[in-house]
Amino acid sequence: RSARNDLLLFVNPDVCITSVDAVKLEELARRRPLGLVAPRVLLSDDGEHYVPTLRRLVPWPCLIAREAFGPVLPREISARPHGLLRPRGSHSWLSGALLFGARAEFLDLGGFDERLFLYYEDQELCRRYAKQGLPLVVTDAIAGRHVGGGSSGTGGGVRSMPRAASAISSIELVGITQGPRTARRAWRLYQGLHRCASAVVWLTAKGPLSSRSARKQDELRSTRAAAATLLRGPPPHYPLVKMLARGPQR
């Protein structure tokens, strides 16, 4: 809101801009409507893989399942779905890691939804852009490198807070896009699958996977504790999930 330029550039703290074609970028920025623009791909931290920024929206049960099992899955598996799904039209969204657009369009649509925090704001914003017929564009005029996890740190204790924020935001997103009744189903699904993940970890506590099982058990425990902390936080974040967590009011 405080920006004064006609264009807005959003850059995650863990993203480094590696190259810019100023001529092509200036030409692109003159278009109206501009919509949202992102690099075609972002280079991964290892410098060997390119991750597409244009991604396909997945059905909400798949989204919730990925969040529930996230703490017990290797990072390579939990991040893989983005690259396997081919985006199509209004079923697409752009990663908010490196994104720019016209300030007027952004403000006219209400900006980022403050009910979400740290995760899924880009998906929700792209839905509104697409609903208004505004384009989601990828370009080779700007390139960057994304250090995974750099926005929130890499230590196990540090990762639990963003992991919990991601899970809670996914359920809040379901409520925003599908309504409170579906959000309640998403909340119950997440709780059930999270218990399943805990059971799997418990069953593998003995044997060749015991050391990994102990780490995963700690991650599940820390994620639950972090989620409880976030849900005790002040407004405006996660109002629907906070209501669901409180349970039926008598």
Side-chain angles (χ1 to χ4, degrees), residues 24 39 45 63 86 88 94 118 132 143 152 192 194 203 210 245 249:
K24 289 184 178 180
D45 185 31
L63 190 69
R86 179 172 297 176
R88 297 183 303 177
L94 288 170
L118 197 60
Q132 293 298 317
S152 49
H194 196 77
L203 290 171
S210 58
Q249 301 296 307

Side-chain angles (χ1 to χ4, degrees), residues 37 40 57 130 134 143-144 149 159 171 196 227 246:
V37 183
R40 189 175 305 279
L57 294 169
L134 297 172
R159 285 201 307 267
I171 300 169
C196 289
R246 289 194 297 268

Side-chain angles (χ1 to χ4, degrees), residues 14-238:
D14 55 359
V15 169
C16 175
I17 298 176
T18 56
S19 68
V20 175
D21 186 325
V23 175
K24 289 184 178 180
L25 201 59
E26 183 179 5
E27 180 182 349
L28 178 61
R30 292 198 198 100
R31 298 180 184 177
R32 292 295 183 274
L34 177 59
L36 292 173
V37 183
R40 189 175 305 279
V41 294
L42 285 173
L43 184 64
S44 62
D45 185 31
D46 58 16
E48 297 180 358
H49 303 90
Y50 288 93
V51 181
T53 60
L54 183 62
R55 301 166 182 177
R56 183 176 177 182
L57 294 169
V58 299
W60 70 260
C62 299
L63 190 69
I64 299 301
R66 187 175 66 192
E67 293 291 347
F69 286 112
V72 300
L73 292 176
R75 289 185 63 187
E76 296 81 3
I77 295 177
S78 60
R80 193 172 298 165
H82 292 321
L84 296 178
L85 297 171
R86 179 172 297 176
R88 297 183 303 177
S90 61
H91 298 288
S92 305
W93 61 282
L94 288 170
S95 167
L98 177 54
L99 197 66
F100 78 89
R103 180 174 180 270
E105 293 174 358
F106 180 78
L107 294 179
D108 285 346
L109 287 177
F112 288 114
D113 194 319
E114 294 185 359
R115 289 173 290 182
L116 302 168
F117 176 67
L118 197 60
Y119 293 94
Y120 293 102
E121 304 101 323
D122 44 11
Q123 286 198 34
E124 194 280 330
L125 183 67
C126 287
R127 284 177 182 267
R128 279 184 281 139
Y129 267 73
K131 188 175 181 180
Q132 293 298 317
L134 297 172
L136 304 178
V137 181
V138 292
T139 179
D140 296 317
I142 186 170
R145 184 169 182 170
H146 192 188
V147 182
S151 295
S152 49
T154 56
V158 178
R159 285 201 307 267
S160 61
M161 191 61 75
R163 188 183 293 119
S166 180
I168 295 172
S169 290
S170 70
I171 300 169
E172 191 74 32
L173 176 68
V174 173
I176 292 171
T177 60
Q178 307 292 329
R181 181 173 297 181
T182 305
R184 186 177 299 277
R185 293 167 57 196
W187 171 252
R188 291 172 178 169
L189 177 62
Y190 176 81
Q191 290 181 307
L193 293 178
H194 196 77
R195 286 193 291 268
C196 289
S198 299
V200 170
V201 170
W202 180 81
L203 290 171
T204 58
K206 295 182 179 180
L209 298 177
S210 58
S211 60
R212 172 172 287 189
S213 176
R215 291 196 303 272
K216 296 301 181 182
Q217 192 171 32
D218 287 342
E219 290 183 20
L220 284 168
R221 189 181 299 112
S222 63
T223 300
R224 285 194 294 270
T229 299
L230 288 171
L231 292 176
R232 290 194 299 268
H237 307 316
Y238 322 126

